[in-house]
Amino acid sequence: MLTATRSRAAAALVTGAAMVAALTIAAAPAQAQGLTVPVVLHEGHVDVIEVEYEDGELELGVHDDTVEPPAHRAHDDVIFVAKSAAKTTVPSDPAFGFLGAAGSPVWILPQIEDEDLLFAGLAAEELETGVFADDTVQLTVQQLISAPSSAEMAIYIEDLFGQPTVLANSRDGLPDVIDLSVGDHTHVNWAFSKAGVYLLKVKASATLAGTSTVVESDSVCLRFVVLP
Protein backbone atom coordinates (compact mmCIF):
# COMPACT_ATOMS: atom_id res chain seq x y z
CA MET A 1 0.00 0.00 0.00
CA LEU A 2 2.82 2.43 0.89
CA THR A 3 4.53 1.73 -2.44
CA ALA A 4 1.30 2.36 -4.33
CA THR A 5 0.79 5.66 -2.49
CA ARG A 6 4.31 6.80 -3.35
CA SER A 7 3.79 5.81 -6.97
CA ARG A 8 0.61 7.87 -7.18
CA ALA A 9 2.37 10.88 -5.61
CA ALA A 10 5.27 10.57 -8.05
CA ALA A 11 2.87 10.28 -10.98
CA ALA A 12 1.00 13.38 -9.82
CA LEU A 13 4.25 15.33 -9.56
CA VAL A 14 5.32 14.35 -13.07
CA THR A 15 1.88 15.22 -14.44
CA GLY A 16 1.99 18.64 -12.80
CA ALA A 17 5.44 19.36 -14.19
CA ALA A 18 4.31 18.33 -17.66
CA MET A 19 1.31 20.66 -17.41
CA VAL A 20 3.48 23.66 -16.66
CA ALA A 21 6.06 22.78 -19.30
CA ALA A 22 3.31 22.51 -21.91
CA LEU A 23 1.76 25.77 -20.72
CA THR A 24 5.14 27.52 -20.93
CA ILE A 25 5.67 26.42 -24.51
CA ALA A 26 2.16 27.46 -25.48
CA ALA A 27 2.63 30.89 -23.89
CA ALA A 28 6.01 31.55 -25.52
CA PRO A 29 6.16 29.83 -28.91
CA ALA A 30 8.96 32.07 -30.11
CA GLN A 31 11.20 30.74 -27.35
CA ALA A 32 10.09 27.12 -27.53
CA GLN A 33 13.19 25.90 -29.36
CA GLY A 34 15.41 27.25 -26.59
CA LEU A 35 13.48 25.78 -23.67
CA THR A 36 15.21 23.26 -21.43
CA VAL A 37 13.65 20.70 -19.13
CA PRO A 38 12.48 22.71 -16.10
CA VAL A 39 13.77 22.05 -12.60
CA VAL A 40 10.92 20.86 -10.37
CA LEU A 41 11.25 21.98 -6.73
CA HIS A 42 8.86 20.36 -4.25
CA GLU A 43 10.67 20.31 -0.88
CA GLY A 44 13.57 22.00 0.85
CA HIS A 45 14.65 25.63 1.04
CA VAL A 46 14.38 27.91 -1.97
CA ASP A 47 14.17 31.67 -2.37
CA VAL A 48 11.34 31.99 -4.86
CA ILE A 49 12.42 35.58 -5.38
CA GLU A 50 16.02 36.72 -4.92
CA VAL A 51 16.63 40.40 -5.70
CA GLU A 52 20.04 41.48 -7.00
CA TYR A 53 21.42 44.81 -8.25
CA GLU A 54 24.19 44.67 -10.82
CA ASP A 55 25.48 47.23 -13.31
CA GLY A 56 22.68 49.64 -12.44
CA GLU A 57 19.89 47.10 -12.94
CA LEU A 58 17.60 45.22 -10.58
CA GLU A 59 17.38 41.52 -11.39
CA LEU A 60 15.13 38.75 -10.09
CA GLY A 61 16.17 35.12 -9.86
CA VAL A 62 15.66 31.92 -7.90
CA HIS A 63 18.13 30.83 -5.21
CA ASP A 64 17.93 27.05 -4.96
CA ASP A 65 19.29 25.62 -1.70
CA THR A 66 17.96 22.14 -2.42
CA VAL A 67 21.23 21.29 -4.19
CA GLU A 68 24.88 21.49 -3.15
CA PRO A 69 26.36 23.88 -3.94
CA PRO A 70 23.28 26.14 -4.07
CA ALA A 71 22.23 27.16 -7.58
CA HIS A 72 21.01 30.43 -9.04
CA ARG A 73 18.27 29.84 -11.61
CA ALA A 74 16.04 31.83 -13.95
CA HIS A 75 12.32 31.71 -13.27
CA ASP A 76 11.66 30.32 -16.73
CA ASP A 77 13.64 27.24 -15.72
CA VAL A 78 11.82 26.43 -12.46
CA ILE A 79 8.50 24.89 -11.41
CA PHE A 80 7.47 25.25 -7.76
CA VAL A 81 5.27 22.45 -6.42
CA ALA A 82 2.90 22.43 -3.46
CA LYS A 83 2.52 18.75 -2.68
CA SER A 84 -0.65 17.09 -1.43
CA ALA A 85 0.75 17.35 2.11
CA ALA A 86 0.25 21.14 1.86
CA LYS A 87 -3.54 20.69 1.85
CA THR A 88 -5.34 21.85 4.99
CA THR A 89 -8.48 23.86 5.81
CA VAL A 90 -9.11 27.54 6.40
CA PRO A 91 -9.09 28.28 10.17
CA SER A 92 -12.31 29.33 11.90
CA ASP A 93 -10.63 32.54 13.12
CA PRO A 94 -12.24 35.42 11.15
CA ALA A 95 -8.77 36.94 10.72
CA PHE A 96 -8.15 34.23 8.10
CA GLY A 97 -11.27 35.08 6.11
CA PHE A 98 -9.05 36.34 3.28
CA LEU A 99 -8.34 32.66 2.52
CA GLY A 100 -12.01 31.81 1.99
CA ALA A 101 -14.78 30.29 4.08
CA ALA A 102 -13.79 28.61 7.34
CA GLY A 103 -13.31 24.89 6.85
CA SER A 104 -12.84 25.11 3.08
CA PRO A 105 -9.72 23.49 1.58
CA VAL A 106 -6.54 25.49 1.14
CA TRP A 107 -3.00 24.48 0.21
CA ILE A 108 -0.28 26.32 2.16
CA LEU A 109 3.48 26.39 1.75
CA PRO A 110 4.25 27.58 5.30
CA GLN A 111 6.63 30.23 6.57
CA ILE A 112 7.85 27.78 9.22
CA GLU A 113 9.97 25.02 7.72
CA ASP A 114 8.29 21.66 7.10
CA GLU A 115 10.76 19.11 5.73
CA ASP A 116 8.05 17.53 3.57
CA LEU A 117 7.16 20.78 1.79
CA LEU A 118 8.81 23.55 -0.16
CA PHE A 119 10.17 26.23 2.19
CA ALA A 120 9.76 29.27 -0.04
CA GLY A 121 11.33 32.59 0.88
CA LEU A 122 11.96 36.11 -0.40
CA ALA A 123 15.56 37.33 -0.34
CA ALA A 124 17.20 40.75 -0.53
CA GLU A 125 20.42 39.56 1.13
CA GLU A 126 22.61 40.36 -1.88
CA LEU A 127 21.69 44.05 -1.83
CA GLU A 128 24.01 46.56 -0.18
CA THR A 129 22.87 49.15 2.34
CA GLY A 130 22.88 52.80 1.29
CA VAL A 131 22.07 52.16 -2.36
CA PHE A 132 18.29 52.53 -2.18
CA ALA A 133 16.06 55.01 -0.37
CA ASP A 134 15.16 53.74 3.11
CA ASP A 135 17.16 50.59 2.27
CA THR A 136 13.95 49.18 0.82
CA VAL A 137 12.96 47.44 -2.39
CA GLN A 138 9.34 47.11 -3.48
CA LEU A 139 8.24 43.71 -4.78
CA THR A 140 5.06 44.16 -6.81
CA VAL A 141 2.77 41.17 -7.20
CA GLN A 142 1.34 42.36 -10.47
CA GLN A 143 -1.08 39.78 -11.74
CA LEU A 144 -2.33 36.24 -11.35
CA ILE A 145 -1.97 35.46 -15.03
CA SER A 146 -3.56 32.04 -14.89
CA ALA A 147 -5.15 29.80 -12.24
CA PRO A 148 -7.77 27.08 -11.92
CA SER A 149 -11.34 28.33 -12.41
CA SER A 150 -12.41 30.60 -9.53
CA ALA A 151 -9.12 29.92 -7.72
CA GLU A 152 -7.31 32.51 -5.63
CA MET A 153 -3.90 32.79 -4.02
CA ALA A 154 -2.48 34.82 -1.18
CA ILE A 155 0.87 35.61 0.41
CA TYR A 156 0.87 36.37 4.13
CA ILE A 157 2.87 36.13 7.34
CA GLU A 158 1.85 35.16 10.86
CA ASP A 159 3.15 36.76 14.05
CA LEU A 160 4.19 34.92 17.22
CA PHE A 161 0.53 34.71 18.24
CA GLY A 162 -0.53 33.15 14.95
CA GLN A 163 -2.27 36.27 13.66
CA PRO A 164 -1.93 36.95 9.93
CA THR A 165 -0.79 40.00 8.01
CA VAL A 166 -1.76 39.83 4.34
CA LEU A 167 0.98 40.88 1.93
CA ALA A 168 -0.73 40.06 -1.36
CA ASN A 169 -4.13 38.59 -2.14
CA SER A 170 -5.70 37.99 -5.54
CA ARG A 171 -9.13 37.69 -3.90
CA ASP A 172 -9.39 41.45 -3.34
CA GLY A 173 -7.47 42.37 -6.47
CA LEU A 174 -3.90 42.86 -7.61
CA PRO A 175 -1.38 44.52 -7.84
CA ASP A 176 -0.11 44.45 -4.26
CA VAL A 177 3.28 45.69 -3.07
CA ILE A 178 5.55 43.93 -0.56
CA ASP A 179 8.37 45.95 0.99
CA LEU A 180 11.66 44.04 1.29
CA SER A 181 14.41 45.43 3.51
CA VAL A 182 17.92 45.37 2.09
CA GLY A 183 19.90 42.52 3.63
CA ASP A 184 16.81 40.65 4.80
CA HIS A 185 15.69 37.12 4.11
CA THR A 186 11.97 36.59 4.72
CA HIS A 187 9.77 33.52 4.73
CA VAL A 188 6.06 33.81 4.07
CA ASN A 189 3.00 31.62 3.69
CA TRP A 190 1.91 30.88 0.11
CA ALA A 191 -1.78 29.91 0.01
CA PHE A 192 -3.73 28.42 -2.91
CA SER A 193 -7.48 27.79 -2.90
CA LYS A 194 -7.54 24.94 -5.44
CA ALA A 195 -5.30 22.30 -6.96
CA GLY A 196 -3.92 23.15 -10.39
CA VAL A 197 -1.46 25.43 -12.16
CA TYR A 198 -0.89 29.04 -11.12
CA LEU A 199 1.16 31.63 -13.02
CA LEU A 200 2.03 34.73 -10.99
CA LYS A 201 3.65 37.83 -12.50
CA VAL A 202 5.96 39.90 -10.26
CA LYS A 203 8.62 42.61 -10.54
CA ALA A 204 10.84 44.65 -8.23
CA SER A 205 11.52 48.39 -8.06
CA ALA A 206 13.42 50.81 -5.86
CA THR A 207 14.39 54.47 -5.65
CA LEU A 208 18.11 55.21 -5.66
CA ALA A 209 19.21 56.85 -2.42
CA GLY A 210 19.39 60.65 -2.56
CA THR A 211 17.65 60.83 -5.93
CA SER A 212 14.22 60.52 -7.50
CA THR A 213 15.47 57.86 -9.91
CA VAL A 214 13.48 54.64 -9.86
CA VAL A 215 15.03 51.42 -11.11
CA GLU A 216 12.88 48.42 -12.04
CA SER A 217 13.50 44.79 -12.81
CA ASP A 218 11.92 42.95 -15.69
CA SER A 219 8.72 41.15 -14.79
CA VAL A 220 9.06 37.42 -14.15
CA CYS A 221 6.52 34.63 -13.98
CA LEU A 222 6.39 32.27 -10.98
CA ARG A 223 5.02 28.85 -11.93
CA PHE A 224 3.29 26.87 -9.17
CA VAL A 225 1.74 23.44 -9.47
CA VAL A 226 -0.62 22.59 -6.60
CA LEU A 227 -1.24 18.85 -6.32
CA PRO A 228 -4.63 17.53 -5.16
Side-chain angles (χ1 to χ4, degrees), residues 56-76:
E57 295 185 358
L58 278 177
E59 299 177 353
L60 299 182
V62 177
H63 184 84
D64 179 8
D65 274 329
T66 69
V67 295
E68 186 60 42
H72 293 269
R73 307 188 189 279
H75 287 90
D76 286 346

PDB file of all heavy atoms in Angstrom, residues 56-76:
ATOM      1  N   GLY A  56      23.762  48.666 -12.368  1.00  0.00           N
ATOM      2  CA  GLY A  56      22.676  49.636 -12.437  1.00  0.00           C
ATOM      3  C   GLY A  56      21.312  49.050 -12.716  1.00  0.00           C
ATOM      4  O   GLY A  56      20.369  49.791 -12.986  1.00  0.00           O
ATOM      5  N   GLU A  57      21.175  47.726 -12.634  1.00  0.00           N
ATOM      6  CA  GLU A  57      19.894  47.095 -12.941  1.00  0.00           C
ATOM      7  C   GLU A  57      19.470  46.151 -11.828  1.00  0.00           C
ATOM      8  O   GLU A  57      20.285  45.400 -11.289  1.00  0.00           O
ATOM      9  CB  GLU A  57      19.974  46.318 -14.266  1.00  0.00           C
ATOM     10  CG  GLU A  57      20.214  47.193 -15.482  1.00  0.00           C
ATOM     11  CD  GLU A  57      20.152  46.396 -16.770  1.00  0.00           C
ATOM     12  OE1 GLU A  57      19.967  45.161 -16.701  1.00  0.00           O
ATOM     13  OE2 GLU A  57      20.290  46.987 -17.848  1.00  0.00           O
ATOM     14  N   LEU A  58      18.182  46.205 -11.490  1.00  0.00           N
ATOM     15  CA  LEU A  58      17.605  45.220 -10.582  1.00  0.00           C
ATOM     16  C   LEU A  58      17.315  43.943 -11.359  1.00  0.00           C
ATOM     17  O   LEU A  58      16.806  43.989 -12.489  1.00  0.00           O
ATOM     18  CB  LEU A  58      16.304  45.742  -9.971  1.00  0.00           C
ATOM     19  CG  LEU A  58      16.400  46.673  -8.762  1.00  0.00           C
ATOM     20  CD1 LEU A  58      15.006  47.125  -8.362  1.00  0.00           C
ATOM     21  CD2 LEU A  58      17.102  46.013  -7.590  1.00  0.00           C
ATOM     22  N   GLU A  59      17.623  42.812 -10.749  1.00  0.00           N
ATOM     23  CA  GLU A  59      17.377  41.523 -11.386  1.00  0.00           C
ATOM     24  C   GLU A  59      16.703  40.586 -10.404  1.00  0.00           C
ATOM     25  O   GLU A  59      16.983  40.617  -9.199  1.00  0.00           O
ATOM     26  CB  GLU A  59      18.706  40.910 -11.863  1.00  0.00           C
ATOM     27  CG  GLU A  59      19.435  41.756 -12.895  1.00  0.00           C
ATOM     28  CD  GLU A  59      20.773  41.152 -13.294  1.00  0.00           C
ATOM     29  OE1 GLU A  59      21.182  40.146 -12.673  1.00  0.00           O
ATOM     30  OE2 GLU A  59      21.407  41.700 -14.212  1.00  0.00           O
ATOM     31  N   LEU A  60      15.819  39.741 -10.905  1.00  0.00           N
ATOM     32  CA  LEU A  60      15.129  38.748 -10.095  1.00  0.00           C
ATOM     33  C   LEU A  60      15.536  37.354 -10.533  1.00  0.00           C
ATOM     34  O   LEU A  60      15.581  37.064 -11.730  1.00  0.00           O
ATOM     35  CB  LEU A  60      13.610  38.902 -10.216  1.00  0.00           C
ATOM     36  CG  LEU A  60      13.012  40.228  -9.766  1.00  0.00           C
ATOM     37  CD1 LEU A  60      11.488  40.192  -9.908  1.00  0.00           C
ATOM     38  CD2 LEU A  60      13.394  40.542  -8.332  1.00  0.00           C
ATOM     39  N   GLY A  61      15.825  36.501  -9.560  1.00  0.00           N
ATOM     40  CA  GLY A  61      16.169  35.125  -9.858  1.00  0.00           C
ATOM     41  C   GLY A  61      15.663  34.212  -8.763  1.00  0.00           C
ATOM     42  O   GLY A  61      14.965  34.628  -7.834  1.00  0.00           O
ATOM     43  N   VAL A  62      16.013  32.937  -8.886  1.00  0.00           N
ATOM     44  CA  VAL A  62      15.663  31.922  -7.901  1.00  0.00           C
ATOM     45  C   VAL A  62      16.945  31.419  -7.262  1.00  0.00           C
ATOM     46  O   VAL A  62      17.897  31.076  -7.970  1.00  0.00           O
ATOM     47  CB  VAL A  62      14.919  30.739  -8.561  1.00  0.00           C
ATOM     48  CG1 VAL A  62      14.609  29.646  -7.532  1.00  0.00           C
ATOM     49  CG2 VAL A  62      13.650  31.213  -9.254  1.00  0.00           C
ATOM     50  N   HIS A  63      16.984  31.395  -5.930  1.00  0.00           N
ATOM     51  CA  HIS A  63      18.133  30.833  -5.213  1.00  0.00           C
ATOM     52  C   HIS A  63      17.720  29.468  -4.683  1.00  0.00           C
ATOM     53  O   HIS A  63      16.871  29.356  -3.797  1.00  0.00           O
ATOM     54  CB  HIS A  63      18.549  31.748  -4.062  1.00  0.00           C
ATOM     55  CG  HIS A  63      19.786  31.284  -3.355  1.00  0.00           C
ATOM     56  ND1 HIS A  63      21.053  31.578  -3.817  1.00  0.00           N
ATOM     57  CD2 HIS A  63      19.956  30.536  -2.240  1.00  0.00           C
ATOM     58  CE1 HIS A  63      21.947  31.041  -3.005  1.00  0.00           C
ATOM     59  NE2 HIS A  63      21.307  30.385  -2.041  1.00  0.00           N
ATOM     60  N   ASP A  64      18.317  28.428  -5.246  1.00  0.00           N
ATOM     61  CA  ASP A  64      17.933  27.050  -4.959  1.00  0.00           C
ATOM     62  C   ASP A  64      18.916  26.417  -3.978  1.00  0.00           C
ATOM     63  O   ASP A  64      20.041  26.074  -4.341  1.00  0.00           O
ATOM     64  CB  ASP A  64      17.874  26.264  -6.278  1.00  0.00           C
ATOM     65  CG  ASP A  64      17.496  24.808  -6.086  1.00  0.00           C
ATOM     66  OD1 ASP A  64      17.132  24.427  -4.954  1.00  0.00           O
ATOM     67  OD2 ASP A  64      17.551  24.058  -7.079  1.00  0.00           O
ATOM     68  N   ASP A  65      18.464  26.249  -2.732  1.00  0.00           N
ATOM     69  CA  ASP A  65      19.292  25.619  -1.705  1.00  0.00           C
ATOM     70  C   ASP A  65      19.025  24.121  -1.578  1.00  0.00           C
ATOM     71  O   ASP A  65      19.524  23.489  -0.647  1.00  0.00           O
ATOM     72  CB  ASP A  65      19.044  26.278  -0.342  1.00  0.00           C
ATOM     73  CG  ASP A  65      19.907  27.513  -0.132  1.00  0.00           C
ATOM     74  OD1 ASP A  65      21.030  27.547  -0.662  1.00  0.00           O
ATOM     75  OD2 ASP A  65      19.451  28.439   0.550  1.00  0.00           O
ATOM     76  N   THR A  66      18.244  23.570  -2.495  1.00  0.00           N
ATOM     77  CA  THR A  66      17.961  22.140  -2.423  1.00  0.00           C
ATOM     78  C   THR A  66      19.096  21.310  -3.017  1.00  0.00           C
ATOM     79  O   THR A  66      19.062  20.081  -2.949  1.00  0.00           O
ATOM     80  CB  THR A  66      16.651  21.794  -3.153  1.00  0.00           C
ATOM     81  OG1 THR A  66      16.819  21.975  -4.571  1.00  0.00           O
ATOM     82  CG2 THR A  66      15.504  22.673  -2.668  1.00  0.00           C
ATOM     83  N   VAL A  67      20.079  21.976  -3.610  1.00  0.00           N
ATOM     84  CA  VAL A  67      21.232  21.292  -4.193  1.00  0.00           C
ATOM     85  C   VAL A  67      22.499  21.827  -3.545  1.00  0.00           C
ATOM     86  O   VAL A  67      22.506  22.888  -2.937  1.00  0.00           O
ATOM     87  CB  VAL A  67      21.300  21.487  -5.725  1.00  0.00           C
ATOM     88  CG1 VAL A  67      20.114  20.814  -6.400  1.00  0.00           C
ATOM     89  CG2 VAL A  67      21.341  22.976  -6.086  1.00  0.00           C
ATOM     90  N   GLU A  68      23.586  21.082  -3.689  1.00  0.00           N
ATOM     91  CA  GLU A  68      24.876  21.492  -3.147  1.00  0.00           C
ATOM     92  C   GLU A  68      25.925  21.430  -4.248  1.00  0.00           C
ATOM     93  O   GLU A  68      26.134  20.378  -4.855  1.00  0.00           O
ATOM     94  CB  GLU A  68      25.276  20.563  -1.991  1.00  0.00           C
ATOM     95  CG  GLU A  68      26.526  20.983  -1.250  1.00  0.00           C
ATOM     96  CD  GLU A  68      26.407  22.354  -0.622  1.00  0.00           C
ATOM     97  OE1 GLU A  68      25.357  22.665  -0.055  1.00  0.00           O
ATOM     98  OE2 GLU A  68      27.391  23.125  -0.741  1.00  0.00           O
ATOM     99  N   PRO A  69      26.586  22.556  -4.546  1.00  0.00           N
ATOM    100  CA  PRO A  69      26.362  23.878  -3.944  1.00  0.00           C
ATOM    101  C   PRO A  69      25.041  24.486  -4.408  1.00  0.00           C
ATOM    102  O   PRO A  69      24.493  24.068  -5.437  1.00  0.00           O
ATOM    103  CB  PRO A  69      27.556  24.683  -4.457  1.00  0.00           C
ATOM    104  CG  PRO A  69      27.883  24.060  -5.775  1.00  0.00           C
ATOM    105  CD  PRO A  69      27.636  22.586  -5.596  1.00  0.00           C
ATOM    106  N   PRO A  70      24.520  25.481  -3.667  1.00  0.00           N
ATOM    107  CA  PRO A  70      23.279  26.135  -4.075  1.00  0.00           C
ATOM    108  C   PRO A  70      23.387  26.699  -5.492  1.00  0.00           C
ATOM    109  O   PRO A  70      24.467  27.095  -5.937  1.00  0.00           O
ATOM    110  CB  PRO A  70      23.112  27.253  -3.038  1.00  0.00           C
ATOM    111  CG  PRO A  70      23.853  26.755  -1.845  1.00  0.00           C
ATOM    112  CD  PRO A  70      25.041  26.014  -2.390  1.00  0.00           C
ATOM    113  N   ALA A  71      22.249  26.727  -6.184  1.00  0.00           N
ATOM    114  CA  ALA A  71      22.227  27.164  -7.578  1.00  0.00           C
ATOM    115  C   ALA A  71      21.389  28.425  -7.734  1.00  0.00           C
ATOM    116  O   ALA A  71      20.398  28.620  -7.022  1.00  0.00           O
ATOM    117  CB  ALA A  71      21.664  26.054  -8.459  1.00  0.00           C
ATOM    118  N   HIS A  72      21.800  29.268  -8.651  1.00  0.00           N
ATOM    119  CA  HIS A  72      21.014  30.428  -9.045  1.00  0.00           C
ATOM    120  C   HIS A  72      20.336  30.087 -10.377  1.00  0.00           C
ATOM    121  O   HIS A  72      21.009  29.700 -11.337  1.00  0.00           O
ATOM    122  CB  HIS A  72      21.896  31.666  -9.198  1.00  0.00           C
ATOM    123  CG  HIS A  72      22.475  32.143  -7.903  1.00  0.00           C
ATOM    124  ND1 HIS A  72      21.848  33.070  -7.092  1.00  0.00           N
ATOM    125  CD2 HIS A  72      23.623  31.807  -7.261  1.00  0.00           C
ATOM    126  CE1 HIS A  72      22.584  33.287  -6.019  1.00  0.00           C
ATOM    127  NE2 HIS A  72      23.661  32.532  -6.091  1.00  0.00           N
ATOM    128  N   ARG A  73      19.019  30.252 -10.426  1.00  0.00           N
ATOM    129  CA  ARG A  73      18.268  29.840 -11.605  1.00  0.00           C
ATOM    130  C   ARG A  73      17.367  30.973 -12.100  1.00  0.00           C
ATOM    131  O   ARG A  73      16.972  31.862 -11.336  1.00  0.00           O
ATOM    132  CB  ARG A  73      17.398  28.622 -11.285  1.00  0.00           C
ATOM    133  CG  ARG A  73      18.162  27.446 -10.669  1.00  0.00           C
ATOM    134  CD  ARG A  73      17.269  26.217 -10.564  1.00  0.00           C
ATOM    135  NE  ARG A  73      17.895  25.152  -9.792  1.00  0.00           N
ATOM    136  CZ  ARG A  73      18.791  24.296 -10.257  1.00  0.00           C
ATOM    137  NH1 ARG A  73      19.188  24.391 -11.519  1.00  0.00           N
ATOM    138  NH2 ARG A  73      19.304  23.338  -9.495  1.00  0.00           N
ATOM    139  N   ALA A  74      17.029  30.916 -13.379  1.00  0.00           N
ATOM    140  CA  ALA A  74      16.044  31.830 -13.949  1.00  0.00           C
ATOM    141  C   ALA A  74      14.646  31.279 -13.686  1.00  0.00           C
ATOM    142  O   ALA A  74      14.442  30.058 -13.615  1.00  0.00           O
ATOM    143  CB  ALA A  74      16.278  31.972 -15.453  1.00  0.00           C
ATOM    144  N   HIS A  75      13.683  32.164 -13.546  1.00  0.00           N
ATOM    145  CA  HIS A  75      12.319  31.714 -13.267  1.00  0.00           C
ATOM    146  C   HIS A  75      11.740  30.862 -14.390  1.00  0.00           C
ATOM    147  O   HIS A  75      10.920  29.976 -14.132  1.00  0.00           O
ATOM    148  CB  HIS A  75      11.424  32.923 -12.981  1.00  0.00           C
ATOM    149  CG  HIS A  75      11.683  33.544 -11.640  1.00  0.00           C
ATOM    150  ND1 HIS A  75      12.604  34.548 -11.457  1.00  0.00           N
ATOM    151  CD2 HIS A  75      11.171  33.258 -10.410  1.00  0.00           C
ATOM    152  CE1 HIS A  75      12.639  34.882 -10.178  1.00  0.00           C
ATOM    153  NE2 HIS A  75      11.788  34.122  -9.520  1.00  0.00           N
ATOM    154  N   ASP A  76      12.155  31.127 -15.613  1.00  0.00           N
ATOM    155  CA  ASP A  76      11.661  30.324 -16.733  1.00  0.00           C
ATOM    156  C   ASP A  76      12.084  28.867 -16.635  1.00  0.00           C
ATOM    157  O   ASP A  76      11.509  28.002 -17.303  1.00  0.00           O
ATOM    158  CB  ASP A  76      12.165  30.890 -18.068  1.00  0.00           C
ATOM    159  CG  ASP A  76      11.457  32.171 -18.462  1.00  0.00           C
ATOM    160  OD1 ASP A  76      10.405  32.475 -17.854  1.00  0.00           O
ATOM    161  OD2 ASP A  76      11.939  32.867 -19.369  1.00  0.00           O
TER     162      ASP A  76
END
